[in-house]
Amino acid sequence: MTTIRVKRVYEPPSAADGFRILVDRLWPRGLSREHAHIDAWLKTVSPSNELRRWFNHDPARWDAFKARYFAELEAEPAAVAELTGLVDHHRTVSLLFGAREERFNNAHALAEFLEARRRKKD
């Protein structure tokens, strides 16, 4: 079974990260591609610009953000299939995000989404 980790892309990469997937729509500011050590960049599984701007990492909107984000993901089966294919193919996957907010961000929500799908499948 794959271990899914969540990590800020600005943190130094480590061997424990496994396969590193950037799950933001925008490239992280001030970070070169060489220093990012990204194995895949899946913009298609990030929240829409409208949802991202509305949420603005506001903890009071977290539950509503997740519900809307999960609905967006369900509407993009090809993007979710690409992500789950990568996740299923590696022992450890790190979902990388660029936000300063360490807890209330799309990478944590996406990890929750993937875990829920895994439980439903089992």
Side-chain angles (χ1 to χ4, degrees):
M1 179 175 262
T2 302
T3 300
I4 300 173
R5 303 177 66 167
V6 176
K7 184 174 183 175
R8 193 160 186 255
V9 71
Y10 296 101
E11 293 178 30
S14 74
D17 293 344
F19 193 79
R20 295 168 50 90
I21 305 171
L22 179 62
V23 294
D24 284 345
R25 188 167 299 275
L26 305 173
W27 186 262
R29 289 183 184 193
L31 186 65
S32 70
R33 295 190 190 274
E34 304 83 54
H35 288 106
H37 298 279
I38 303 296
D39 295 308
W41 182 14
L42 299 183
K43 298 178 207 178
T44 54
V45 296
S46 65
S48 66
N49 287 326
E50 296 79 19
L51 180 57
R52 183 177 54 82
R53 287 185 193 113
W54 172 83
F55 174 49
N56 199 31
H57 304 285
D58 180 353
R61 293 182 173 177
W62 179 240
D63 289 334
F65 166 76
K66 288 192 305 180
R68 292 178 183 185
Y69 182 32
F70 294 174
E72 285 185 356
L73 289 168
E74 293 292 351
E76 295 291 339
V80 172
E82 181 181 10
L83 175 61
T84 55
L86 290 171
V87 168
D88 292 345
H89 188 71
H90 296 88
R91 293 183 60 81
T92 303
V93 169
S94 290
L95 303 178
L96 305 173
F97 65 94
R100 286 189 183 115
E101 171 55 59
E102 300 262 345
R103 174 65 186 106
F104 299 102
N105 62 62
N106 65 297
H108 279 283
L110 186 56
E112 186 178 320
F113 176 84
L114 291 170
E115 291 294 342
R117 286 177 65 95
R118 183 185 294 175
R119 283 191 303 272
K120 195 182 287 185
K121 195 166 114 177
D122 290 341

